[in-house]
Amino acid sequence: MTQSFSAQVHAWSEKAKRNVELVLKQSAQDLFEFAQTPVSKGGNMPVDTGHLRNSLVAGLNGSTSLTGPNAYMLAIAGMKVGDVMFGGWTAEYARPVEYGAAGRAGRFYVRGAAQQWQFFVATNAARLK
């Protein structure tokens, strides 16, 4: 038995909503993984003791209760389209590492990841086509 036109439209609409959420979540994960990638593995985050990576806090819609290098994964798991996700590094030297200080160039581990957002979204959307 074939579906009615309205049932087909509804099924298509539900699939589109699910795909938008999948693209959003995968893109957010890609962004944080990019930011957290150590210099030794081709990224921009310098890792000596691991304190900077471990200082990541993440949350949704104003909450920043999640901490640790993988805190973003828990925030992403609960994220829905329309939510505001936050992530930041609280190590006392996070800002100087990002922007540079005392004659040292910035690593731009945050800015570099943010600049890749459109690429992550386009790549993940293309995977679902």
Side-chain angles (χ1 to χ4, degrees), residues 2-63:
T2 60
Q3 290 181 323
S4 70
F5 178 71
S6 62
Q8 289 175 354
V9 169
H10 178 74
W12 178 86
S13 174
E14 291 303 310
K15 182 180 178 185
K17 287 178 192 175
R18 186 176 64 251
N19 286 351
V20 167
E21 189 167 301
L22 290 172
V23 168
L24 172 66
K25 286 183 174 189
Q26 184 60 55
S27 299
Q29 182 169 331
D30 292 345
L31 181 134
F32 280 97
E33 287 175 357
F34 189 95
Q36 289 277 79
T37 301
V39 171
S40 65
K41 294 185 178 178
N44 288 330
M45 180 174 280
V47 177
D48 183 20
T49 66
H51 181 66
L52 180 59
R53 288 185 88 227
N54 291 331
S55 76
L56 176 64
V57 295
L60 292 173
N61 303 317
S63 167

Side-chain angles (χ1 to χ4, degrees), residues 51-111:
H51 181 66
L52 180 59
R53 288 185 88 227
N54 291 331
S55 76
L56 176 64
V57 295
L60 292 173
N61 303 317
S63 167
T64 57
S65 60
L66 303 169
T67 62
N70 297 318
Y72 65 93
M73 291 181 183
L74 294 171
I76 290 169
M79 186 170 52
K80 294 179 179 63
V81 174
D83 284 344
V84 176
M85 183 176 174
F86 169 84
W89 290 262
T90 60
E92 60 280 358
Y93 54 88
R95 189 179 192 104
V97 170
E98 172 70 10
Y99 297 109
R104 295 184 122 174
R107 294 303 309 188
F108 304 115
Y109 61 98
V110 178
R111 185 184 312 180

